[in-house]
Amino acid sequence: MHLVLTFLIAACLGPVYHQFDFWVGNWRVTNAHGKLLGHDYLIKRLKNCTIYEEYHDAGDPSVGEGFSAYDAGRKQWHQSFVDDTGFVLNLDGGLQNGAMMLEGTDYVNGKPRLNRGTWSKRGDAVEELWQTSMDGGRMWKTRFDGWFHRM
């Protein structure tokens, strides 16, 4: 029993579980020109196995929440994000060239839309670039380009 408990406590201590820690914090989110887009609060939860996110849009009272975690069984990161409009997005991927890149599909009027999120350290800031494609990835459109500045 002691070995099982030790394993459960130490389950998320390996380096791979800290690859996305650069995004953890209390953030003021702007576009590239400094216009306020919102505020984001990210903390480690569940014995440091999960990153919990709570995003508040600056333009209206919209709120989104997400969980990001490393899935050891699939050897990749997973993120689930939902907001108060009913939007649901599941993304999977991992660290590529120092940036976290996650991809997934949602559906618009029954048609698949590819989503690609890339989180990159930019000095003391983090840039989240969210792009979408309605044509299987041939053409990508920027849906969100947020710059996270620590508060």
Side-chain angles (χ1 to χ4, degrees):
M1 184 75 156
H2 178 68
L3 290 176
V4 172
L5 291 176
T6 301
F7 174 74
L8 291 176
I9 291 169
C12 299
L13 294 178
V16 70
Y17 293 95
H18 298 285
Q19 291 176 335
F20 213 176
D21 284 2
F22 65 87
W23 193 34
V24 172
N26 195 9
W27 304 94
R28 186 175 145 279
V29 184
T30 68
N31 67 12
H33 305 290
K35 178 184 176 193
L36 183 66
L37 300 176
H39 293 89
D40 210 8
Y41 174 66
L42 295 105
I43 60 171
K44 297 289 286 260
R45 294 183 68 185
L46 303 174
K47 298 181 183 173
N48 291 319
C49 292
T50 300
I51 298 172
Y52 167 76
E53 173 186 14
E54 185 177 304
Y55 182 83
H56 295 264
D57 189 73
D60 58 44
S62 293
V63 176
E65 294 185 4
F67 283 94
S68 299
Y70 182 73
D71 182 344
R74 296 185 304 143
K75 297 191 183 323
Q76 64 182 1
W77 277 85
H78 174 79
Q79 182 182 96
S80 292
F81 184 84
V82 298
D83 71 16
D84 57 7
T85 68
F87 178 71
V88 175
L89 183 60
N90 290 297
L91 304 169
D92 294 296
L95 205 59
Q96 295 182 20
N97 300 318
M100 184 61 69
M101 183 178 286
L102 305 175
E103 298 179 337
T105 303
D106 70 338
Y107 293 84
V108 178
N109 299 321
K111 295 182 181 180
R113 175 174 61 184
L114 298 179
N115 292 266
R116 178 174 59 201
T118 305
W119 290 260
S120 305
K121 292 183 267 186
R122 305 279 190 228
D124 292 337
V126 173
E127 179 187 17
E128 176 187 340
L129 179 61
W130 177 14
Q131 298 172 302
T132 59
S133 174
M134 293 298 295
D135 62 6
R138 288 184 293 280
M139 299 279 295
W140 291 91
K141 176 180 166 184
T142 296
R143 182 161 177 184
F144 178 82
D145 188 5
W147 288 74
F148 293 68
H149 308 276
R150 291 196 186 275
M151 292 179 40

